Amino acid sequence: MFPPTVVVGLHGTLQLPPWFDRVVEREGDAEGSVADELLFLAVDRAGSYGWRTVNGLLHEDGEVTAEHEPTAWAHEEVGGDWTQDGAVRQLAWLGAGVRTDPPRPGIPVRPIALVLSETLARVGTVTFTGLHALLPLHATERDTAFHQIELAPWFGLTDPDVRYEVVVTVSCRPGEGGVDPGDAAALSAAVREKTSGAVDVLAPTAEGVLAGLDLDLSRTVHTEGMREVIRFGCVTREWSPDMAVWLVESTAEALRETGRPAPVVVTASLASGPSRDS
């Protein structure tokens, strides 16, 4: 059995700088091949933080095979789409094996999002529009709900008159004991409690186009067969990968608390903003 996999993807637009072609050699289909190559910088960046060792690989049964154990995850693969057409693309994604032997460090959504964000900022100008995360909730027992609550003052320290409309979705495979549409009200209420007034969590909404994401769950084996089951809106005072991670992780902890630990994909994407209260 393969180790549980977490996948984190950042979506938006990327404008490459004029100097890019002087520094990076392009071959063939430039944006695709270059993106895949340069995004490995995110792996090196993670190692510099001590979150992941270059030689840390996992057995299929979850045991560490290398001399240096990964402290947060074992790298599997990375990629992205840097097509220069102004459309929202999945700019960067990283998939990694999650450790299941104790002590379990939890699902590393925030550190993965950080190193991907830093790598994208290193190569160009990013307009961030959304984040998605495949979360193997069944594979980790660590409760990070208190950490999410502690972050509320951090995100409350910003202009109180600025407003961004954000959409959060939860997808899973039917029949796996996962999320049910009937969980929507309890889930949004739990997220509202964790964000402690720094986010206005709105009522569950119907399906529709998510303009901030370039996401097709049928693209990969990890998400094939999943479908959206819950969607609710939020109003936030800022919009950033950091905010998106907070919403995703708060939703993940709410799912755990409601007894829904099956693998899920949680997304947070920008619907509109910024606006300012009059």
Side-chain angles (χ1 to χ4, degrees):
M1 182 177 181
F2 288 100
T5 298
V6 57
V7 179
V8 177
L10 302 186
H11 302 246
T13 63
L14 172 67
Q15 182 178 355
L16 298 175
W19 52 259
F20 189 83
D21 287 336
R22 295 166 53 199
V23 177
V24 178
E25 292 185 10
R26 304 197 195 198
E27 296 180 5
D29 186 7
E31 287 83 6
S33 58
V34 169
D36 291 347
E37 178 181 350
L38 291 184
L39 282 168
F40 272 98
L41 294 173
V43 180
D44 299 331
R45 190 70 170 168
S48 73
Y49 284 117
W51 289 329
R52 180 255 173 219
T53 38
V54 174
N55 294 324
L57 303 176
L58 295 184
H59 275 306
E60 291 184 5
D61 60 4
E63 295 181 359
V64 177
T65 64
E67 179 181 353
H68 304 290
E69 295 186 357
T71 56
W73 70 82
H75 173 70
E76 288 186 358
E77 53 187 347
V78 65
D81 183 352
W82 294 354
T83 303
Q84 297 290 287
D85 60 0
V88 169
R89 302 283 182 175
Q90 188 173 168
L91 299 175
W93 58 269
L94 188 149
V98 177
R99 293 180 63 188
T100 57
D101 54 318
R104 299 181 179 183
I107 302 176
V109 178
R110 187 173 300 280
I112 291 177
L114 177 60
V115 295
L116 290 178
S117 296
E118 289 184 336
T119 305
L120 291 172
R122 192 70 183 173
V123 300
T125 302
V126 178
T127 300
F128 171 70
T129 60
L131 180 146
H132 84 275
L134 169 64
L135 306 173
L137 297 180
H138 62 293
T140 176
E141 297 175 353
R142 184 182 179 193
D143 183 353
T144 66
F146 182 68
H147 297 298
Q148 310 314 322
I149 295 171
E150 283 187 316
L151 284 174
W154 174 277
F155 289 105
L157 193 63
T158 188
D159 188 340
D161 295 329
V162 175
R163 295 288 183 267
Y164 294 85
E165 294 184 9
V166 179
V167 177
V168 175
T169 71
V170 180
S171 300
C172 67
R173 292 186 181 92
E176 287 192 349
V179 191
D180 184 90
D183 298 324
L187 183 63
S188 59
V191 174
R192 183 180 299 109
E193 180 180 2
K194 287 174 176 50
T195 54
S196 303
V199 172
D200 296 329
V201 180
L202 308 178
T205 59
E207 294 184 15
V209 175
L210 294 172
L213 296 175
D214 174 24
L215 182 63
D216 182 353
L217 296 176
S218 66
R219 284 180 187 172
T220 69
V221 65
H222 298 303
T223 59
E224 188 175 6
M226 288 189 172
R227 61 178 180 83
E228 182 183 318
V229 291
I230 289 178
R231 175 183 300 206
F232 57 90
C234 301
V235 178
T236 67
R237 300 176 190 172
E238 74 167 75
W239 176 243
S240 63
D242 199 23
M243 169 59 74
V245 169
W246 190 40
L247 293 173
V248 166
E249 290 194 327
S250 296
T251 301
E253 287 304 325
L255 287 168
R256 196 192 311 277
E257 291 173 3
T258 53
R260 304 296 189 182
V264 295
V265 170
V266 181
T267 74
S269 59
L270 187 62
S272 66
S275 62
R276 183 174 289 274
D277 286 351
S278 56

